[in-house]
Amino acid sequence: MANMIEIRDLNKYFGDLHVLKDIDLTVEEGEKVVIIGPSGSGKSTLIRCVDYLEEPTSGEVIIDGTPLTKKNHLEMARTYSSMVFQQFNLYPNMTVLGNLTLAPIKLQKKSKEEAVEAAMVALKRVGLAHKAGEFPQNLSGGQQQRVAIARALCTKQPIILFDEPTSALDPEMVQEVLDVMIELAQENITMICVTHEMGFARQVADRVIFMDDGRILEQGSPEHFFENPENPRCRDFLAKILH
Ligand SMILES: Nc1ncnc2c1ncn2[C@@H]1O[C@H](COP(=O)(O)OP(=O)(O)OP(=O)(O)O)[C@@H](O)[C@H]1O
């Protein structure tokens, strides 16, 4: 398998705060990676560096062989990666269909017909084709997040980054979003997902990564990771959230 994402010696500071510390990480094409760790450990910042929503202070992020730079990052993100956020980030004054066709038409220069067709295919996949004409505020949180996932799907980039996609949802809506993600994981999409959903990690991840204080302290297959973590901080963290 080819490397889709290579992160080399990545450091990120916010002012004096050293948030990512010498991160090295390679993700293969089609690989599903779940990142867990305590609040403030740098998980979101790390995946935001993958599509340059945060600019690394030093080090490199290489996508499909091309290093991200100030100059190319918008074009690279358009081609390679989309992000699903905790707070959905849908435009409230646009219909679901409007939200889904905006980037393909404006940024990817697709025709309206092509964008609508792709949007409807994506909405079907998340079970919401019948909501195409609705405004986001008329949907439940779970439905809004499924729309956000459909939006990520219809731009057809090979990488999807999930930043705690179920953390803002009422508990009864979490599973419907996870089910969509589980189904997506059957495909050759490269996924990095920051989440506290350990069942999802066990079911879907090829690799689980534990971050603490800006560093990757443990990583491995779910079997190894959950049964036999070596790092004491990872063991403590798992003991807390699993019991
Ligand atoms: N734009 C920013 N400006 C200043 N500090 C920031 C910014 N974004 C994040 N931070 C800080 O960087 C650290 C890492 O934040 P990050 O959101 O990456 O952690 P996280 O592991 O994703 O946490 P959580 O699980 O709470 O979302 C935190 O101390 C946070 O307050």
Side-chain angles (χ1 to χ4, degrees):
M1 278 285 185
N3 291 337
M4 181 56 85
I5 301 167
E6 283 177 77
I7 295 172
R8 291 193 192 146
D9 207 14
L10 183 71
N11 283 273
K12 175 69 183 173
Y13 287 82
F14 289 112
D16 290 337
L17 189 65
H18 196 180
V19 173
L20 296 176
K21 301 173 179 170
D22 308 322
I23 299 275
D24 286 301
L25 175 67
T26 300
V27 180
E28 289 180 357
E29 184 185 347
E31 195 179 4
K32 317 308 181 232
V33 173
V34 167
I35 304 180
I36 67 171
S39 183
S41 56
K43 307 177 300 292
S44 296
T45 306
L46 177 60
I47 64 167
R48 288 168 67 84
C49 285
V50 172
D51 65 3
Y52 223 80
L53 286 176
E54 299 294 350
E55 185 183 354
T57 308
S58 66
E60 269 193 317
V61 178
I62 301 165
I63 306 293
D64 198 19
T66 302
L68 294 186
T69 64
K70 266 196 177 107
K71 223 172 154 186
N72 73 5
H73 74 275
L74 287 176
E75 181 57 32
M76 288 294 288
R78 222 170 273 162
T79 310
Y80 281 101
S81 58
S82 52
M83 173 92 78
V84 174
F85 300 91
Q86 187 175 339
Q87 297 292 349
F88 328 137
N89 291 12
L90 301 174
Y91 291 106
N93 54 350
M94 284 184 169
T95 63
V96 164
L97 191 62
N99 269 280
L100 264 61
T101 53
L102 186 69
I105 293 172
K106 292 265 185 245
L107 300 178
Q108 295 181 319
K109 308 294 177 205
K110 301 262 165 64
S111 70
K112 189 168 177 217
E113 294 68 34
E114 204 182 343
V116 168
E117 196 184 323
M120 291 311 297
V121 170
L123 280 175
K124 270 195 200 116
R125 290 196 54 193
V126 302
L128 290 173
H130 59 296
K131 298 289 187 188
E134 283 289 354
F135 286 89
Q137 73 264 25
N138 297 330
L139 304 181
S140 70
Q143 289 172 330
Q144 288 187 58
Q145 191 60 299
R146 282 152 63 199
V147 170
I149 293 172
R151 177 178 54 184
L153 285 177
C154 64
T155 43
K156 293 208 172 74
Q157 293 105 322
I159 302 169
I160 302 190
L161 307 165
F162 292 90
D163 192 1
E164 302 201 24
T166 58
S167 297
L169 298 177
D170 293 336
E172 67 272 19
M173 289 169 190
V174 168
Q175 196 57 45
E176 68 181 80
V177 171
L178 292 178
D179 285 344
V180 168
M181 294 168 64
I182 289 164
E183 206 220 292
L184 261 186
Q186 307 303 314
E187 295 187 13
N188 193 34
I189 300 173
T190 305
M191 282 170 66
I192 306 184
C193 184
V194 175
T195 184
H196 298 293
E197 294 294 334
M198 296 302 125
F200 172 81
R202 279 181 197 274
Q203 190 173 348
V204 160
D206 297 308
R207 184 161 35 137
V208 186
I209 289 176
F210 172 73
M211 282 185 72
D212 193 10
D213 193 23
R215 295 183 197 279
I216 293 175
L217 294 188
E218 178 99 28
Q219 55 181 311
S221 66
E223 297 75 33
H224 166 86
F225 188 90
F226 289 110
E227 304 318 323
N228 234 340
E230 280 155 30
N231 184 278
R233 276 149 82 173
C234 182
R235 278 206 300 270
D236 288 351
F237 180 78
L238 287 175
K240 258 189 237 148
I241 59 168
L242 293 175
H243 297 110

